[in-house]
Amino acid sequence: SYLLLGNLANFFLDELIFAQQPDEVSFDETFLKSFRQSPFEYTSCRDIATDEDFRDFMRKARTQFENIKRVITEDFPRRGINLHQCTLEPSFFSERYGFQGRLDLLHINKKAYEIVELKSGKLPYPAYDTGKIALNHEVQTGVYRLMTESVFDVPSRRVEAAILYSSGSIPGTNLRFAAGFQQLEKEIINVRNLIIANEHAIINGNNQTVAQLFQALYDTTGTAQKSATFYTQRIEQFKSVLQQCTPMELSYFYRYIRFVSQELYLQKTGDVEYESPAGVASLWNSDFTERAEALDVLYGLSIESIDDSGNDMKIVFRRNHAGNDVVNFREGEICIVYPRQDEQDTVLNRQILKGALAAISREFVEVRFRNKQRNRTFFNENPLWAIEHDALDTSYNSMYKSLFDFLNAEKQQRDLLLGLRAPQAPAIPENKLPYPESIIRKAMAAEDYFLIIGPPGTGKTSIFARRLIEEFYAKENGNMLVLAYTNRAVDELCEAINAAFGCKDENSCNYIRVGSELSCAEAYQDRLLQNISEKASNRESLRTTIRKTRIVVSTLASING
């Protein structure tokens, strides 16, 4: 529930910053809006399953809301922070320090760049010290300071960073500004370099290299502070899991750690042997003209309209450059958007907004952003814009977690995945069923798994996925989780389900789509969980709807959170 409360506190901040009259925003309306956007989290969280626990959660949430509201309406004006000059969740790349990050809030005026980072957890110990900032939070402000200084090329004295502790109820003590220390900055850079060194060791080493790094991690528990019990317990738990593994399981685990690390490295830096721009680092390691020739940039865009009437913000850009008519962008892809008036403007010296490509035509491009922006100055002062590809690390983090889950699985499951135990399937009578029913029958009989492999256009989705969904649904004794890697593939699966059950409207389709409107085709948005939740009168009715719905469709990234 603490994670849910943290996300809710950030939602409160966004809503209050965007509101025309923050002092008139009510907790009840804002909380209900949050519930409708994240229904599954509120309905499935075990910590708030009972009415009593949920009421306690609501009490804590109300306290957080009132504290954040007080800071915005009283402390911000006192500090000279103008809400019209604040940007929510701006992103930056810092080539100088090798950082990229997204701030909670940035306020820019002629005198200073002020960073505000929201923290919803407990106040730093001791709580009576109203100026205390936790060390990890101080480090975070240090990273953001360095990043902001390098992007805007300003001296450190013009950058201020503060932590907003939203759990504190004493007026005037929530917003705590952190001083900059050169020694802390040196330690931050040193830790960053050690991380890079370890990544290079994993990528360029062998299984023994990974084992040695884990052993070095185990050894840190001997020098950890006595108060760091959470850290030492987690390391010991991890160590005990690896100790019960067979040599083959450890070899598999170490080898895939190296493989995932290599893939993540290539996503960031690209393949140096590949001639065209690739990897996130190509945003600054390659020339803009080179990326444009590779069709990886939309540029010369002007803002046609901004719509923030819904849950998110939509900006329609007009495509003005005749030489930029053919590009390698698809609807649903994530992207970065930044001002580009001339060749001097790059992703390294401009503020970046991250969104998803909602629509693209010869004349217009529509991008949808999760955060609304009250600060129109940023848009009004920049007539021309560029859009480039973005990439996320979250899927790779899920891969690391999945490898550890593999080690925690039952022995027979591990043997199956390692190929030490053959997948089980009863013998099927040879009654010469026509294609594709012969394959469908074998797939339905499989006890462990069944692989259907084929190139594009062979009917994996339109024929096999559709027929298997029909067959499993007819059994009436189980639920189905239907996954794909991309949102476009999930759209195709939704189309297959509609075809399988003759869905013509929202009342005739019995499936739930996990994801957001940013990446879901309009035809299937009515089946999104957050849209279904709007029709529920309370949490229990939503739980009932979820329990009765036997098909859930999602991308792998969305279902992993």
Side-chain angles (χ1 to χ4, degrees):
S1 61
Y2 66 92
L3 291 175
L4 188 59
L5 185 62
N7 292 333
L8 181 58
N10 276 280
F11 182 79
F12 289 156
L13 177 67
D14 294 351
E15 290 296 302
L16 287 164
I17 290 292
F18 180 75
Q20 293 298 320
Q21 300 293 334
D23 54 330
E24 296 180 3
V25 178
S26 73
F27 167 76
D28 292 339
E29 291 181 0
T30 310
F31 182 85
L32 182 59
K33 187 175 182 180
S34 170
F35 178 85
R36 287 174 174 168
Q37 290 190 18
S38 305
F40 184 74
E41 288 83 350
Y42 286 103
T43 305
S44 62
C45 182
R46 295 179 180 178
D47 292 345
I48 57 173
T50 68
D51 290 342
E52 182 180 355
D53 289 336
F54 188 71
R55 282 193 292 269
D56 183 60
F57 178 83
M58 288 280 287
R59 179 185 58 78
K60 294 177 181 177
R62 185 181 294 275
T63 299
Q64 297 261 345
F65 176 84
E66 296 300 338
N67 291 339
I68 296 171
K69 184 176 181 179
R70 183 181 64 249
V71 170
I72 290 174
T73 57
E74 298 178 13
D75 295 355
F76 274 18
R78 195 178 298 122
R79 288 282 314 182
I81 298 178
N82 185 343
L83 298 185
H84 293 281
Q85 296 174 332
C86 291
T87 302
L88 292 168
E89 297 197 0
S91 296
F92 301 98
F93 292 106
S94 172
E95 183 186 23
R96 182 187 304 170
Y97 298 111
F99 295 143
Q100 67 165 306
R102 183 176 63 193
L103 317 183
D104 281 345
L105 183 145
L106 177 65
H107 175 252
I108 302 177
N109 58 30
K110 294 181 180 180
K111 295 181 179 179
Y113 295 78
E114 294 174 298
I115 301 163
V116 177
E117 192 68 16
L118 176 66
K119 300 297 177 185
S120 61
K122 294 181 180 179
L123 292 173
Y125 180 84
Y128 62 77
D129 186 349
T130 56
K132 182 71 177 290
I133 295 178
L135 178 59
N136 56 332
H137 299 159
E138 197 168 10
V139 170
Q140 187 175 8
T141 61
V143 172
Y144 287 168
R145 277 174 170 277
L146 292 171
M147 190 165 59
T148 305
E149 291 168 17
S150 65
V151 169
F152 292 105
D153 193 24
V154 293
S156 58
R157 66 177 182 275
R158 290 191 59 193
V159 180
E160 295 184 337
I163 299 294
L164 196 172
Y165 287 109
S166 54
S167 61
S169 297
I170 302 176
T173 65
N174 301 88
L175 201 61
R176 304 180 183 184
F177 281 81
F181 297 103
Q182 287 189 349
Q183 182 58 37
L184 177 62
E185 292 175 354
K186 290 179 180 178
E187 292 178 7
I188 289 171
I189 298 300
N190 182 56
V191 171
R192 179 260 181 197
N193 291 342
L194 290 173
I195 292 172
I196 297 300
N198 285 338
E199 288 183 348
H200 274 275
I202 293 173
I203 292 166
N204 298 309
N206 52 30
N207 284 5
Q208 186 61 31
T209 307
V210 182
Q212 290 171 351
L213 286 173
F214 278 127
Q215 184 58 53
L217 182 65
Y218 304 153
D219 293 342
T220 61
T221 59
T223 57
Q225 297 181 7
K226 292 182 179 180
S227 59
T229 54
F230 174 79
Y231 172 78
T232 56
Q233 288 173 358
R234 293 298 295 270
I235 297 299
E236 289 299 327
Q237 177 192 7
F238 182 83
K239 181 179 178 181
S240 65
V241 171
L242 264 65
Q243 285 177 336
Q244 56 87 34
C245 293
T246 66
M248 177 176 285
E249 290 167 350
L250 281 177
S251 178
Y252 177 89
F253 178 71
Y254 292 150
R255 182 62 188 90
Y256 268 93
I257 287 287
R258 292 164 51 206
F259 174 76
V260 174
S261 298
Q262 179 75 27
E263 290 296 303
L264 179 57
Y265 180 83
L266 289 175
Q267 179 201 279
K268 291 181 177 180
T269 64
D271 190 337
V272 294
E273 297 180 359
Y274 194 63
E275 293 183 357
S276 63
V280 176
S282 69
L283 291 171
W284 53 87
N285 283 337
S286 65
D287 186 73
F288 183 88
T289 304
E290 185 181 358
R291 299 198 300 278
E293 290 176 350
L295 312 180
D296 286 333
V297 185
L298 281 157
Y299 59 92
L301 307 173
S302 59
I303 295 178
E304 186 76 10
S305 64
I306 300 177
D307 179 9
D308 52 25
S309 59
N311 292 330
D312 50 31
M313 181 176 70
K314 306 172 188 176
I315 298 183
V316 175
F317 296 92
R318 178 178 289 277
R319 301 176 66 179
N320 301 305
H321 203 290
N324 192 222
D325 55 336
V326 179
V327 290
N328 182 28
F329 285 87
R330 295 190 302 178
E331 294 178 358
E333 289 184 335
I334 57 174
C335 60
I336 60 173
V337 180
Y338 63 98
R340 186 179 186 274
Q341 314 312 311
D342 51 44
E343 294 180 357
Q344 303 303 315
D345 289 339
T346 72
V347 295
L348 298 178
N349 60 20
R350 297 309 304 257
Q351 174 183 311
I352 293 168
L353 296 177
K354 297 197 173 190
L357 206 64
I360 183 168
S361 67
R362 286 186 173 275
E363 295 182 349
F364 300 103
V365 179
E366 180 182 322
V367 181
R368 302 178 70 174
F369 303 89
R370 187 182 68 176
N371 296 98
K372 301 178 184 180
Q373 299 294 342
R374 185 175 178 180
N375 180 7
R376 287 294 192 265
T377 304
F378 179 56
F379 300 112
N380 295 336
E381 290 181 347
N382 295 287
L384 296 177
W385 298 75
I387 298 175
E388 302 206 40
H389 293 285
D390 193 14
L392 296 176
D393 295 349
T394 52
S395 59
Y396 294 94
N397 295 335
S398 297
M399 292 178 193
Y400 287 123
K401 293 176 183 177
S402 296
L403 283 171
F404 187 66
D405 289 339
F406 161 76
L407 297 183
N408 277 294
E410 296 292 334
K411 183 68 167 62
Q412 62 175 2
Q413 190 72 9
R414 300 201 301 270
D415 288 346
L416 175 68
L417 295 175
L418 287 173
L420 300 177
R421 178 174 73 84
Q424 301 299 306
I428 303 297
E430 288 290 340
N431 51 5
K432 296 184 179 180
L433 289 172
Y435 175 89
E437 292 305 313
S438 57
I439 297 176
I440 298 296
R441 183 67 60 86
K442 290 180 180 179
M444 293 297 298
E447 296 179 4
D448 292 308
Y449 61 80
F450 189 85
L451 301 179
I452 299 176
I453 302 172
T458 53
K460 295 187 300 298
T461 301
S462 60
I463 297 175
F464 292 107
R466 171 182 169 177
R467 286 288 296 113
L468 287 170
I469 289 170
E470 289 175 344
E471 292 290 333
F472 278 111
Y473 196 81
K475 287 188 172 185
E476 297 185 355
N477 61 350
N479 299 326
M480 280 177 280
L481 178 60
V482 187
L483 298 175
Y485 280 106
T486 67
N487 283 293
R488 172 167 288 192
V490 173
D491 287 340
E492 293 175 358
L493 287 169
C494 291
E495 183 180 4
I497 295 172
N498 286 352
F501 299 105
C503 302
K504 296 181 179 179
D505 56 60
E506 58 182 289
N507 296 319
S508 62
C509 282
N510 196 23
Y511 70 91
I512 288 175
R513 168 90 175 251
V514 177
S516 71
E517 291 185 348
L518 290 174
S519 51
C520 177
E522 186 176 357
Y524 315 113
Q525 288 182 4
D526 60 284
R527 302 313 303 165
L528 284 168
L529 182 57
Q530 62 262 39
N531 292 334
I532 292 173
S533 72
E534 291 185 359
K535 303 168 188 174
S537 56
N538 52 50
R539 288 198 305 159
E540 188 54 42
S541 65
L542 181 56
R543 285 197 191 102
T544 301
T545 299
I546 293 174
R547 281 195 295 265
K548 289 183 177 179
T549 305
R550 295 174 50 208
I551 305 175
V552 176
V553 192
S554 174
T555 62
L556 193 62
S558 293
I559 208 69
N560 280 329

